[in-house]
């Protein structure tokens, strides 16, 4: 379990603990695990446990580890032995186990930039259906005493001091808790109700063959919650809605995504998986720039071309500048907190780590920003010279989040809305409203806009008509 006291500076500045380890899709995986757990707890005892997006200042949810399925997916030895595994999987043929390995390994979430095969607890299953959604876990020494007769019986099958699955926050770092709190605290009752209905459909049991298989395997997980987990960490999260527009933008986008009933369930889940981390990374950047007293909203140049241009160079420079802004904001926040605790040497020493630009205390939250954007496809690559762009899955999520179901929008109007809502600069007409217009020739931006139009058409979200009109819609026809 992470030492939360070390994250005081980051939490004070951004309202939530943002660390490199919890980057990218871990934000979405955690949010969906919380939502699924709330759904399960409420289903079991609706009188005692609040429903989806409801409740007071504490969230209770049932955590599923899916440790058995993940160990099968990564070919990790099953600590309980073949006897226990045989209760879940027919072992009269190796072919069965190999088939399950092939199936679940194909469902693992891809983490860009990962250089080696992860251990089972570093591998998470993509939540295409509700039964596949799971919480975080890690290997821990087994508690031989256990907490119940069933768990004590499990522990007795294992050698003393051996490690086995334990449900706990390991790679998750509260980003998903932030996203769930944003949705749960929505002040717009109509929007919240729409989001609740759509999210409920994503996290409830699907009843599909894949869902039934996942549910059957989870019944044989080594660790599980006998009673819903009372999570008090949400109390430490501040949304800072008075300082940033991104909680509201997340809510609008999430509602548009999950309420899109004409879109397949898996596609809605994929769009939500990309949208939530993107909003949190942009929220982090906005708060950092507010700390540095920038009064203008940040503009991001999206490069859709296939060659190096002044636009790409400017996009690369702005990414480096934004990373510096985050580091500088953390430094300032740390000095402010040091001045607040004069005489408390222990706290002063803890905060001083965040005043040093090269310290990992600063490097980790700064990396959350760039690595999260890279993971979801809002940067061109995870390493090297990077610039802002939108790869197809992220672009699909952006369009789905921006244009409600059943609506379409003229291309120039859509580009103007992207700039107005998110500060995204895509073509020359939009750039005229941005300070970036003075840095890049209009013809370069015009070519970029044409490339952007082509990207939208290639993924089926834009139709060009004979009268030169181009219409953008939230889902392919």
């Amino acid at each position: 379990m992470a030492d939360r006291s070390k994250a005081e500076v980051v939490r004070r500045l951004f309202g939530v603990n943002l660390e490199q380890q919890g980057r990218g899709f871990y934000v979405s995986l955690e949010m969906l695990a919380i939502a699924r757990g709330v759904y399960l707890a409420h289903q079991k005892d609706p009188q005692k446990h609040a429903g989806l997006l409801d409740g007071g200042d504490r969230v209770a949810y049932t955590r599923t580890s899916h440790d058995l399925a993940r160990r099968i997916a990564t070919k990790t030895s099953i600590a309980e032995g073949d006897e226990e595994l045989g209760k879940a999987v027919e072992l009269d043929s190796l072919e069965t186990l190999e088939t399950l390995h092939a199936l679940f390994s194909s469902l693992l979430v891809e983490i860009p930039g990962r250089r080696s095969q992860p251990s089972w607890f570093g591998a998470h299953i993509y939540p295409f259906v509700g039964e596949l959604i799971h919480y975080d876990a890690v290997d821990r020494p087994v508690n031989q005493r256990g907490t119940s007769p069933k768990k004590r019986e499990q522990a007795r099958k294992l050698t003393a001091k051996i490690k086995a699955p334990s449900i706990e926050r390991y790679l998750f770092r509260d980003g998903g808790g932030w996203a769930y709190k944003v949705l749960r605290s929505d002040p717009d009752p109509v929007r919240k109700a729409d989001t609740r209905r759509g999210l409920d459909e994503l996290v409830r049991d699907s009843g599909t063959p894949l869902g039934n298989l996942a549910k059957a395997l989870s019944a044989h997980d080594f660790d599980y919650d006998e009673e819903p987990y009372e999570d008090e960490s949400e109390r430490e999260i501040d949304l800072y809605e008075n300082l940033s527009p991104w909680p509201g933008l997340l809510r609008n986008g999430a509602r548009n995504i999950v309420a899109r009933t004409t879109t397949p369930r898996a596609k809605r889940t994929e769009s939500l998986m990309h949208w939530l981390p993107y909003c949190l990374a942009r929220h982090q950047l906005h708060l950092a720039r507010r700390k540095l007293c920038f009064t203008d909203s940040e503009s991001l140049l999206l490069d859709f071309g296939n060659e190096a241009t002044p636009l790409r160079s400017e996009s690369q420079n702005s990414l480096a500048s934004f990373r510096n802004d985050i580091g500088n904001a953390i430094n300032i926040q740390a000095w402010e907190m040091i001045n607040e605790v004069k005489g408390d040497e222990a706290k002063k020493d803890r905060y001083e780590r965040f005043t040093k630009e090269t310290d990992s205390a600063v490097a980790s939250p700064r990396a959350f920003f760039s690595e999260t954007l890279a993971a979801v496809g809002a940067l061109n690559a995870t390493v090297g010279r990077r610039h802002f762009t939108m790869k197809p899955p992220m672009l699909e999520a952006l369009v789905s989040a921006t244009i409600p179901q059943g609506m379409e929008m003229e291309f120039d109007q859509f580009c103007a809305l992207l700039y107005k809502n998110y500060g995204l600069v895509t073509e020359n007409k939009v750039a005229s409203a941005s300070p970036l217009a003075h840095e890049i020739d209009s013809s370069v931006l015009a070519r970029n806009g044409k490339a952007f139009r082509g990207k939208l058409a290639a993924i089926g979200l834009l139709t060009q008509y004979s009268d030169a009109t181009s219409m953008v819609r939230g889902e392919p026809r």
Side-chain angles (χ1 to χ4, degrees), residues 4-174:
R4 291 177 176 269
S5 68
K6 293 180 181 178
E8 291 174 15
V9 175
V10 176
R11 278 210 312 271
R12 177 80 76 87
L13 178 58
F14 302 121
V16 60
N17 185 20
L18 301 179
E19 300 290 346
Q20 180 180 2
Q21 195 170 4
R23 68 195 181 280
F25 293 123
Y26 293 124
V27 174
S28 310
L29 290 168
E30 182 180 13
M31 195 288 290
L32 288 169
I34 292 171
R36 166 72 175 176
V38 168
Y39 164 80
L40 292 175
H42 181 70
Q43 287 289 109
K44 184 176 181 180
D45 191 343
Q47 298 300 317
K48 184 178 180 181
H49 300 296
L52 202 57
L53 303 186
D54 289 330
D57 60 354
R58 180 185 300 179
V59 180
Y61 49 90
T62 300
R63 299 171 300 177
T64 301
S65 70
H66 263 318
D67 62 67
L68 181 58
R70 290 196 276 167
R71 285 182 287 168
I72 291 173
T74 54
K75 291 193 172 181
T76 302
S77 61
I78 308 300
E80 307 92 298
D82 289 349
E83 181 182 349
E84 187 65 26
L85 180 59
K87 296 178 182 178
V89 180
E90 181 58 61
L91 293 177
D92 59 351
S93 170
L94 287 176
E95 186 177 340
T96 302
L97 196 57
E98 283 298 322
T99 300
L100 287 174
H101 162 71
L103 171 62
F104 284 104
S105 63
S106 71
L107 296 174
L108 296 180
V109 177
E110 182 180 351
I111 305 299
R114 182 178 274 164
R115 294 184 176 87
S116 59
Q117 171 70 25
S119 55
W120 74 264
F121 48 84
H124 291 71
I125 298 171
Y126 211 96
F128 287 116
V129 294
E131 296 93 333
L132 287 173
I133 297 172
H134 61 87
Y135 199 74
D136 214 356
V138 69
D139 272 338
R140 295 293 185 200
V142 173
N143 179 3
Q144 294 289 339
R145 295 181 179 179
T147 56
S148 69
K150 183 176 179 180
K151 288 195 173 184
R152 286 197 295 272
E153 179 62 28
Q154 277 186 304
R156 278 196 289 269
K157 298 175 182 178
L158 304 180
T159 305
K161 297 183 180 180
I162 196 172
K163 290 185 177 181
S166 171
I167 299 179
E168 59 185 77
R169 181 182 281 114
Y170 179 67
L171 289 169
F172 293 172
R173 283 292 184 271
D174 284 340

Side-chain angles (χ1 to χ4, degrees), residues 172-468:
F172 293 172
R173 283 292 184 271
D174 284 340
W178 175 85
Y180 188 77
K181 184 172 183 176
V182 168
L183 296 177
R184 199 165 74 92
S185 60
D186 192 343
D188 183 334
V190 175
R191 180 174 61 189
K192 183 176 180 179
D194 290 344
T195 304
R196 180 189 291 111
R197 283 192 294 271
L199 189 58
D200 179 87
E201 186 175 344
L202 297 186
V203 303
R204 67 168 50 248
D205 286 354
S206 65
T208 60
L210 176 60
N212 293 337
L213 173 61
K215 197 170 184 179
L217 285 177
S218 70
H220 298 276
D221 285 341
F222 186 86
D223 200 14
Y224 50 89
D225 280 340
E226 296 176 288
E227 293 294 332
Y229 172 67
E230 298 280 348
D231 191 352
E232 299 187 8
S233 63
E234 191 182 276
R235 296 178 180 179
E236 301 174 350
I237 296 174
D238 291 312
L239 301 183
Y240 292 146
E241 292 191 72
N242 59 320
L243 300 176
S244 169
W246 282 96
L249 293 172
L250 182 148
R251 291 174 184 134
N252 282 334
R255 187 266 306 274
N256 287 341
I257 289 170
V258 301
R260 200 173 292 280
T261 54
T262 56
T263 300
R265 179 175 181 163
K267 180 58 69 175
R268 278 176 278 160
T269 298
E270 183 180 29
S271 291
L272 194 64
M273 285 278 288
H274 287 75
W275 180 244
L276 299 180
Y278 182 80
C279 289
L280 181 51
R282 292 295 306 275
H283 179 66
Q284 178 191 21
L285 174 62
H286 190 88
L287 291 174
R289 288 171 58 81
R290 283 294 298 261
K291 175 58 69 173
L292 298 176
C293 298
F294 286 105
T295 56
D296 60 316
S297 296
E298 58 276 2
S299 295
L300 275 64
L301 272 170
L302 301 187
D303 178 10
F304 291 101
N306 295 318
E307 58 186 9
T309 64
L311 184 153
R312 177 166 299 180
S313 296
E314 190 62 31
S315 184
Q316 291 168 343
N317 292 339
S318 62
L319 173 60
S321 177
F322 290 155
R323 280 174 49 84
N324 288 336
D325 290 343
I326 292 172
N328 292 335
I330 294 171
N331 296 159
I332 291 174
Q333 182 66 57
W335 282 116
E336 289 178 358
M337 294 173 69
I338 287 172
N339 292 331
E340 291 173 4
V341 296
K342 291 179 179 178
D344 190 332
E345 293 301 319
K347 283 190 175 182
K348 181 179 177 182
D349 290 344
R350 192 158 66 235
Y351 299 157
E352 279 185 342
R353 298 174 56 233
F354 292 90
T355 65
K356 302 171 184 175
E357 184 70 19
T358 57
D359 195 282
S360 62
V362 174
S364 181
R366 182 174 55 202
F368 174 88
F369 170 73
S370 51
E371 293 198 22
T372 290
L373 293 184
V376 300
L379 296 182
N380 64 306
T382 57
V383 296
R385 290 286 284 167
R386 297 184 289 182
H387 58 265
F388 295 107
T389 188
M390 290 276 173
K391 295 181 180 179
M394 184 65 230
L395 188 53
E396 289 178 345
L398 177 71
V399 178
S400 182
T402 305
I403 302 179
Q405 177 175 300
M407 291 183 60
E408 58 182 6
M409 190 176 297
E410 201 278 325
F411 176 74
D412 288 341
Q413 181 186 0
F414 176 66
C415 291
L417 188 61
L418 292 185
Y419 179 71
K420 177 184 176 182
N421 286 357
Y422 318 126
L424 300 178
V425 178
T426 55
E427 43 97 64
N428 56 321
K429 295 177 184 178
V430 169
S432 63
S434 168
L436 296 170
H438 305 294
E439 307 293 336
I440 303 166
D441 187 86
S442 178
S443 63
V444 175
L445 286 160
R447 288 197 299 273
N448 193 64
K450 185 177 180 180
F452 179 41
R453 191 191 306 259
K455 296 283 186 183
L456 289 170
I459 57 177
L461 298 179
L462 179 142
T463 301
Q464 297 180 346
Y465 295 96
S466 57
D467 62 354

